[in-house]
Amino acid sequence: MSYCLRSATLSDLEAHVHLSELSFSKGLVGSYDPDLIEQSVPLISQVSQPLIQSGQLYVAEGDQGLLVGAGGWSRDYHGAPAVAGVGHIRQFVVHPDWTRQGIGRALFDFCLKAAKDVVQFDCQASLSAISFYRSLGFEVVAQDEVMLPNGIIFPSCLMRYRRPGTV
């Protein structure tokens, strides 16, 4: 199974939403109540057009143009002002048939190379993604929850990565 990494474009939007729906629908099972998964997947699968336009969202493209992974980073997060040296990991998903192939790690490494001046990355991890982010060197900062539209509360975890060699 081979893939290549590249910056996402607006033409990837529909495929990225589909990839996110697949990834979350399968990946959240066992960590969340089935009703919460059904209610939240359409909301958390939406892709940020400004993130795509920033050039900081990347995709892993497999054979015949199939998107098999995606993830990116930004300096700001949900309208909060950017803080020097801090980045936010955003919209990491991998196709369920392509997990455990190193795609998520490759996307994170791509983010690290692109964000040379970022010394700390934060992410809002789903409960099922905690072990993945720990494998990258992230640490749990706090149990958290995200308020989704229509009052849906989605349990999550704030996680943080410090670039090696920084204080």
Side-chain angles (χ1 to χ4, degrees), residues 41-110:
V41 165
L43 302 170
I44 63 177
S45 296
Q46 296 308 304
V47 179
S48 167
Q49 287 187 28
L51 182 59
I52 292 174
Q53 292 167 325
S54 75
Q56 295 168 189
L57 180 67
Y58 313 109
V59 294
E61 187 174 39
D63 300 332
Q64 295 141 5
L66 176 69
L67 293 191
V68 297
W73 68 282
S74 66
R75 293 185 190 284
D76 64 327
Y77 187 68
H78 292 294
V83 175
V86 177
H88 301 274
I89 292 301
R90 308 274 303 276
Q91 301 180 326
F92 265 62
V93 291
V94 173
H95 191 289
D97 294 340
W98 287 69
T99 59
R100 305 253 183 240
Q101 303 294 317
I103 294 170
R105 179 171 296 280
L107 286 162
F108 181 64
D109 289 345
F110 214 69

Side-chain angles (χ1 to χ4, degrees), residues 27-28 31-32 125-131 143-144 154-157:
L28 299 177
S31 296
Y32 294 92
S126 68
L127 301 179
S128 54
I130 293 171
S131 62
Q143 296 296 319
D144 204 358
F154 189 81
S156 63
C157 194

Side-chain angles (χ1 to χ4, degrees), residues 13 16 19-20 22 26 37 40 47 49-50 63 66 68 80 111 125 129 134 155 160:
L13 186 63
H16 190 292
L19 171 64
S20 296
L22 281 173
K26 296 212 181 214
I37 294 171
S40 61
V47 179
Q49 287 187 28
D63 300 332
L66 176 69
V68 297
C111 292
R134 278 192 173 135
R160 180 162 294 146

